[in-house]
Amino acid sequence: MAAVGALALARWPRLVAAGRPLHVGPPSWAGHNRWSKVRNVKGPRDAARSRLFQRLGLMLRTAAREGGPDPALNAQLANVVEQCRAKNMPKASIEAAIRGAERSVAASRLLYEARGPGGSALLLEVLTDNPRRSQQDVRLILTRHGGTMAEGARHGFEQKGVVRVGSRDLQGHPVSLEAALEAALEAGAQDVCPDEEEEEEEEEEPALKFICETSALRTVQERLEASGLRPLSAAIEYLPRDRVTLPEGTREQAERLLQALGDCPDIVRLYHNIQ
Protein backbone atom coordinates (compact mmCIF):
# COMPACT_ATOMS: atom_id res chain seq x y z
CA MET A 1 0.00 0.00 0.00
CA ALA A 2 3.04 2.26 0.17
CA ALA A 3 2.60 2.73 -3.56
CA VAL A 4 -0.80 4.25 -2.89
CA GLY A 5 0.70 6.95 -0.71
CA ALA A 6 3.47 7.70 -3.16
CA LEU A 7 1.12 7.89 -6.12
CA ALA A 8 -1.37 10.05 -4.25
CA LEU A 9 1.38 12.38 -3.03
CA ALA A 10 2.60 12.78 -6.58
CA ARG A 11 -0.85 13.64 -7.82
CA TRP A 12 -2.08 15.70 -4.86
CA PRO A 13 -0.68 19.06 -6.04
CA ARG A 14 -3.44 18.92 -8.63
CA LEU A 15 -5.86 19.51 -5.75
CA VAL A 16 -4.47 23.00 -5.26
CA ALA A 17 -4.22 23.67 -8.99
CA ALA A 18 -7.73 22.44 -9.61
CA GLY A 19 -9.24 24.59 -6.82
CA ARG A 20 -10.72 28.02 -7.25
CA PRO A 21 -7.94 30.66 -7.56
CA LEU A 22 -7.68 33.31 -4.86
CA HIS A 23 -8.16 36.91 -6.00
CA VAL A 24 -5.32 38.98 -4.56
CA GLY A 25 -6.38 42.14 -6.36
CA PRO A 26 -9.70 43.95 -6.55
CA PRO A 27 -12.43 41.94 -8.26
CA SER A 28 -13.76 42.96 -11.64
CA TRP A 29 -17.47 43.62 -11.42
CA ALA A 30 -19.85 42.62 -14.17
CA GLY A 31 -22.11 45.64 -13.67
CA HIS A 32 -25.41 46.06 -11.90
CA ASN A 33 -27.85 44.98 -14.59
CA ARG A 34 -29.86 42.30 -12.82
CA TRP A 35 -31.39 40.94 -16.01
CA SER A 36 -27.93 40.54 -17.51
CA LYS A 37 -26.92 38.38 -14.57
CA VAL A 38 -30.08 36.31 -14.78
CA ARG A 39 -29.76 35.84 -18.53
CA ASN A 40 -26.02 35.12 -18.65
CA VAL A 41 -25.56 33.17 -15.43
CA LYS A 42 -28.79 31.98 -13.85
CA GLY A 43 -30.47 30.94 -17.10
CA PRO A 44 -27.78 28.51 -18.31
CA ARG A 45 -27.25 27.24 -14.77
CA ASP A 46 -30.95 26.51 -14.31
CA ALA A 47 -31.09 24.78 -17.70
CA ALA A 48 -28.14 22.58 -16.77
CA ARG A 49 -29.73 21.81 -13.41
CA SER A 50 -32.99 20.88 -15.12
CA ARG A 51 -31.18 18.49 -17.48
CA LEU A 52 -29.33 16.95 -14.53
CA PHE A 53 -32.54 16.34 -12.59
CA GLN A 54 -34.14 14.88 -15.70
CA ARG A 55 -31.29 12.36 -16.01
CA LEU A 56 -31.36 11.53 -12.32
CA GLY A 57 -35.12 11.02 -12.42
CA LEU A 58 -34.76 8.53 -15.27
CA MET A 59 -31.99 6.75 -13.38
CA LEU A 60 -34.18 6.56 -10.26
CA ARG A 61 -37.15 5.14 -12.17
CA THR A 62 -35.00 2.59 -13.97
CA ALA A 63 -33.24 1.43 -10.80
CA ALA A 64 -36.56 1.15 -8.92
CA ARG A 65 -38.19 -0.69 -11.80
CA GLU A 66 -35.32 -3.20 -12.03
CA GLY A 67 -34.67 -3.83 -8.33
CA GLY A 68 -37.66 -2.55 -6.37
CA PRO A 69 -38.54 0.80 -4.75
CA ASP A 70 -36.82 0.22 -1.38
CA PRO A 71 -33.23 1.61 -1.33
CA ALA A 72 -32.45 -0.63 1.67
CA LEU A 73 -33.02 -3.69 -0.54
CA ASN A 74 -31.82 -2.21 -3.83
CA ALA A 75 -28.15 -1.19 -3.82
CA GLN A 76 -28.35 0.36 -7.28
CA LEU A 77 -31.27 2.56 -6.26
CA ALA A 78 -29.53 3.51 -3.00
CA ASN A 79 -26.52 4.71 -4.96
CA VAL A 80 -28.63 6.82 -7.33
CA VAL A 81 -30.44 8.34 -4.34
CA GLU A 82 -27.04 9.29 -2.91
CA GLN A 83 -26.14 10.97 -6.18
CA CYS A 84 -29.44 12.87 -6.15
CA ARG A 85 -28.85 14.13 -2.62
CA ALA A 86 -25.29 15.17 -3.48
CA LYS A 87 -26.72 17.27 -6.34
CA ASN A 88 -29.38 18.79 -4.05
CA MET A 89 -32.29 17.22 -5.88
CA PRO A 90 -35.43 17.90 -3.80
CA LYS A 91 -36.58 15.01 -1.63
CA ALA A 92 -40.11 15.28 -3.07
CA SER A 93 -38.73 14.89 -6.61
CA ILE A 94 -36.72 11.81 -5.59
CA GLU A 95 -39.75 10.17 -4.00
CA ALA A 96 -42.00 11.06 -6.95
CA ALA A 97 -39.57 9.48 -9.42
CA ILE A 98 -39.40 6.27 -7.40
CA ARG A 99 -43.19 6.11 -7.10
CA GLY A 100 -43.49 6.59 -10.85
CA ALA A 101 -41.23 3.65 -11.67
CA GLU A 102 -44.06 1.17 -12.19
CA ARG A 103 -45.83 3.46 -14.66
CA SER A 104 -42.66 4.29 -16.60
CA VAL A 105 -41.59 2.72 -19.86
CA ALA A 106 -38.71 0.28 -19.51
CA ALA A 107 -35.42 1.98 -20.41
CA SER A 108 -32.44 0.43 -22.18
CA ARG A 109 -28.86 0.82 -20.96
CA LEU A 110 -26.42 1.30 -23.83
CA LEU A 111 -22.70 2.01 -24.14
CA TYR A 112 -21.59 3.85 -27.27
CA GLU A 113 -17.94 3.93 -28.34
CA ALA A 114 -16.70 6.96 -30.25
CA ARG A 115 -13.68 8.88 -31.44
CA GLY A 116 -13.40 12.63 -31.03
CA PRO A 117 -11.10 15.30 -32.48
CA GLY A 118 -7.42 14.40 -32.48
CA GLY A 119 -8.16 10.69 -32.16
CA SER A 120 -9.47 11.05 -28.59
CA ALA A 121 -11.53 8.17 -27.23
CA LEU A 122 -15.05 8.54 -25.83
CA LEU A 123 -17.43 6.22 -24.03
CA LEU A 124 -21.06 7.29 -23.64
CA GLU A 125 -23.38 5.62 -21.15
CA VAL A 126 -26.93 6.06 -22.42
CA LEU A 127 -30.22 5.39 -20.67
CA THR A 128 -33.19 5.69 -23.00
CA ASP A 129 -36.68 4.46 -23.79
CA ASN A 130 -36.00 4.94 -27.51
CA PRO A 131 -32.59 3.49 -28.50
CA ARG A 132 -32.98 4.29 -32.19
CA ARG A 133 -33.67 7.97 -31.52
CA SER A 134 -30.81 8.18 -29.02
CA GLN A 135 -28.33 6.65 -31.44
CA GLN A 136 -29.37 9.09 -34.16
CA ASP A 137 -29.06 12.04 -31.78
CA VAL A 138 -25.61 10.99 -30.56
CA ARG A 139 -24.38 10.28 -34.07
CA LEU A 140 -25.55 13.73 -35.24
CA ILE A 141 -23.76 15.49 -32.34
CA LEU A 142 -20.55 13.61 -33.07
CA THR A 143 -20.69 14.41 -36.79
CA ARG A 144 -21.27 18.12 -36.16
CA HIS A 145 -18.24 18.37 -33.89
CA GLY A 146 -15.60 16.27 -35.62
CA GLY A 147 -16.36 12.93 -33.99
CA THR A 148 -17.64 9.56 -35.11
CA MET A 149 -18.95 6.29 -33.75
CA ALA A 150 -16.02 3.86 -33.54
CA GLU A 151 -15.72 0.33 -32.23
CA GLY A 152 -12.64 -0.38 -30.16
CA ALA A 153 -12.59 2.84 -28.14
CA ARG A 154 -13.54 0.81 -25.07
CA HIS A 155 -10.10 -0.83 -25.03
CA GLY A 156 -8.60 2.49 -23.92
CA PHE A 157 -10.54 2.34 -20.63
CA GLU A 158 -10.75 0.05 -17.63
CA GLN A 159 -13.57 -0.42 -15.16
CA LYS A 160 -12.88 0.73 -11.62
CA GLY A 161 -14.88 1.43 -8.51
CA VAL A 162 -15.06 5.18 -7.84
CA VAL A 163 -16.20 6.70 -4.56
CA ARG A 164 -16.59 10.49 -4.60
CA VAL A 165 -16.18 12.14 -1.23
CA GLY A 166 -16.90 15.73 -0.26
CA SER A 167 -13.98 18.11 0.24
CA ARG A 168 -15.34 18.62 3.77
CA ASP A 169 -15.92 15.81 6.25
CA LEU A 170 -19.08 14.96 8.16
CA GLN A 171 -18.22 17.66 10.72
CA GLY A 172 -17.83 20.30 8.02
CA HIS A 173 -14.04 20.51 8.27
CA PRO A 174 -11.82 20.56 5.14
CA VAL A 175 -10.27 17.18 4.39
CA SER A 176 -6.49 17.45 4.70
CA LEU A 177 -3.87 15.63 2.66
CA GLU A 178 -2.92 13.44 5.59
CA ALA A 179 -6.54 12.53 6.36
CA ALA A 180 -7.31 11.59 2.75
CA LEU A 181 -4.21 9.43 2.40
CA GLU A 182 -4.83 7.71 5.71
CA ALA A 183 -8.46 7.08 4.82
CA ALA A 184 -7.45 5.63 1.44
CA LEU A 185 -5.01 3.23 3.06
CA GLU A 186 -7.46 2.09 5.74
CA ALA A 187 -10.33 1.72 3.27
CA GLY A 188 -8.31 -0.31 0.75
CA ALA A 189 -8.45 2.27 -2.06
CA GLN A 190 -5.77 2.14 -4.74
CA ASP A 191 -5.57 5.88 -5.36
CA VAL A 192 -7.07 9.20 -4.31
CA CYS A 193 -7.08 12.41 -6.33
CA PRO A 194 -9.20 15.52 -6.90
CA ASP A 195 -12.28 15.04 -9.05
CA GLU A 196 -11.38 17.58 -11.71
CA GLU A 197 -14.62 17.17 -13.63
CA GLU A 198 -17.11 17.95 -10.89
CA GLU A 199 -17.22 20.52 -8.12
CA GLU A 200 -19.58 20.41 -5.16
CA GLU A 201 -20.25 24.12 -4.95
CA GLU A 202 -18.95 27.14 -6.80
CA GLU A 203 -16.71 28.32 -3.98
CA GLU A 204 -15.35 24.93 -2.90
CA GLU A 205 -12.54 22.75 -4.10
CA PRO A 206 -13.43 19.70 -6.17
CA ALA A 207 -14.63 16.57 -4.44
CA LEU A 208 -12.11 13.79 -3.84
CA LYS A 209 -12.16 10.66 -5.94
CA PHE A 210 -11.13 7.37 -4.31
CA ILE A 211 -10.40 4.60 -6.82
CA CYS A 212 -10.57 0.88 -6.07
CA GLU A 213 -11.28 -2.49 -7.62
CA THR A 214 -14.91 -2.93 -8.66
CA SER A 215 -15.41 -5.79 -6.20
CA ALA A 216 -14.33 -3.56 -3.28
CA LEU A 217 -16.59 -0.60 -4.10
CA ARG A 218 -19.17 -1.01 -1.34
CA THR A 219 -16.57 -1.89 1.28
CA VAL A 220 -14.43 1.15 0.45
CA GLN A 221 -17.47 3.42 0.57
CA GLU A 222 -18.51 2.12 3.99
CA ARG A 223 -14.99 2.42 5.41
CA LEU A 224 -14.57 5.97 4.14
CA GLU A 225 -17.84 6.98 5.78
CA ALA A 226 -16.81 5.22 9.00
CA SER A 227 -13.59 7.26 9.00
CA GLY A 228 -15.62 10.48 9.08
CA LEU A 229 -15.59 11.40 5.40
CA ARG A 230 -18.72 12.31 3.44
CA PRO A 231 -19.36 9.99 0.45
CA LEU A 232 -21.31 11.66 -2.35
CA SER A 233 -21.62 8.68 -4.68
CA ALA A 234 -20.20 5.25 -5.41
CA ALA A 235 -20.27 3.66 -8.84
CA ILE A 236 -18.39 1.50 -11.29
CA GLU A 237 -16.92 3.75 -13.97
CA TYR A 238 -14.65 3.60 -17.00
CA LEU A 239 -11.31 5.30 -16.38
CA PRO A 240 -8.85 6.00 -19.22
CA ARG A 241 -5.69 3.89 -19.28
CA ASP A 242 -3.76 6.78 -20.86
CA ARG A 243 -4.61 10.38 -21.70
CA VAL A 244 -3.96 12.33 -24.88
CA THR A 245 -2.87 15.95 -25.10
CA LEU A 246 -4.49 17.89 -27.93
CA PRO A 247 -3.17 21.06 -29.62
CA GLU A 248 -5.09 24.24 -28.81
CA GLY A 249 -7.37 24.36 -31.85
CA THR A 250 -8.21 20.66 -31.66
CA ARG A 251 -8.79 20.91 -27.93
CA GLU A 252 -11.30 23.72 -28.40
CA GLN A 253 -13.18 21.57 -30.91
CA ALA A 254 -13.10 18.64 -28.47
CA GLU A 255 -14.45 20.86 -25.68
CA ARG A 256 -17.36 21.91 -27.87
CA LEU A 257 -18.08 18.25 -28.57
CA LEU A 258 -18.00 17.35 -24.87
CA GLN A 259 -20.33 20.26 -24.10
CA ALA A 260 -22.80 19.19 -26.78
CA LEU A 261 -22.75 15.59 -25.58
CA GLY A 262 -23.22 16.78 -22.01
CA ASP A 263 -26.38 18.60 -23.08
CA CYS A 264 -27.86 15.40 -24.55
CA PRO A 265 -30.50 14.24 -22.03
CA ASP A 266 -30.07 10.53 -22.81
CA ILE A 267 -26.36 10.48 -21.91
CA VAL A 268 -26.09 9.79 -18.19
CA ARG A 269 -22.30 9.45 -18.08
CA LEU A 270 -19.56 10.59 -20.43
CA TYR A 271 -15.97 9.31 -20.30
CA HIS A 272 -13.00 10.58 -22.32
CA ASN A 273 -9.22 10.37 -22.34
CA ILE A 274 -8.44 14.04 -23.05
CA GLN A 275 -5.76 15.53 -20.83
Side-chain angles (χ1 to χ4, degrees), residues 100-142:
E102 293 183 359
R103 302 187 302 273
S104 64
V105 178
S108 300
R109 297 179 182 274
L110 306 170
L111 183 67
Y112 294 150
E113 302 173 80
R115 292 287 178 184
S120 53
L122 308 171
L123 288 183
L124 314 173
E125 283 189 7
V126 172
L127 191 60
T128 178
D129 56 6
N130 190 330
R132 184 174 181 179
R133 182 209 65 216
S134 296
Q135 186 178 46
Q136 290 175 343
D137 290 348
V138 169
R139 192 184 299 276
L140 181 59
I141 293 172
L142 288 167

Side-chain angles (χ1 to χ4, degrees), residues 148-212:
T148 183
M149 294 283 202
E151 294 184 5
R154 188 184 314 195
H155 299 312
F157 298 82
E158 59 181 338
Q159 281 191 310
K160 289 289 185 179
V162 177
V163 182
R164 285 179 171 78
V165 169
S167 59
R168 294 180 179 272
D169 62 21
L170 293 172
Q171 303 301 318
H173 303 131
V175 180
S176 67
L177 164 64
E178 293 78 11
L181 291 175
E182 182 179 351
L185 289 169
E186 293 181 354
Q190 297 173 320
D191 193 11
V192 56
C193 60
D195 186 0
E196 298 173 337
E197 297 181 2
E198 292 188 39
E199 295 182 0
E200 297 176 85
E201 300 291 344
E202 285 190 30
E203 300 302 326
E204 290 195 5
E205 293 177 335
L208 304 176
K209 185 164 64 175
F210 290 78
I211 300 169
C212 62

Side-chain angles (χ1 to χ4, degrees), residues 15-146:
L15 178 59
V16 178
R20 293 275 177 177
L22 295 176
H23 295 283
V24 296
S28 58
W29 302 102
H32 302 284
N33 186 324
R34 183 178 183 276
W35 170 242
S36 175
K37 292 181 180 180
V38 171
R39 180 184 60 191
N40 296 326
V41 179
K42 187 175 185 301
R45 185 178 299 163
D46 286 350
R49 187 179 182 86
S50 176
R51 288 193 298 269
L52 173 62
F53 287 174
Q54 180 181 349
R55 291 190 186 105
L56 291 173
L58 179 57
M59 293 168 67
L60 285 168
R61 291 191 296 273
T62 301
R65 186 183 179 91
E66 293 176 349
D70 186 354
L73 303 176
N74 184 342
Q76 180 183 347
L77 178 60
N79 182 53
V80 179
V81 170
E82 287 180 4
Q83 295 179 51
C84 293
R85 290 172 176 167
K87 297 301 182 181
N88 297 317
M89 187 174 182
K91 181 179 179 181
S93 299
I94 296 174
E95 294 175 346
I98 294 175
R99 287 196 304 269
E102 293 183 359
R103 302 187 302 273
S104 64
V105 178
S108 300
R109 297 179 182 274
L110 306 170
L111 183 67
Y112 294 150
E113 302 173 80
R115 292 287 178 184
S120 53
L122 308 171
L123 288 183
L124 314 173
E125 283 189 7
V126 172
L127 191 60
T128 178
D129 56 6
N130 190 330
R132 184 174 181 179
R133 182 209 65 216
S134 296
Q135 186 178 46
Q136 290 175 343
D137 290 348
V138 169
R139 192 184 299 276
L140 181 59
I141 293 172
L142 288 167
T143 301
R144 286 177 173 174
H145 297 276

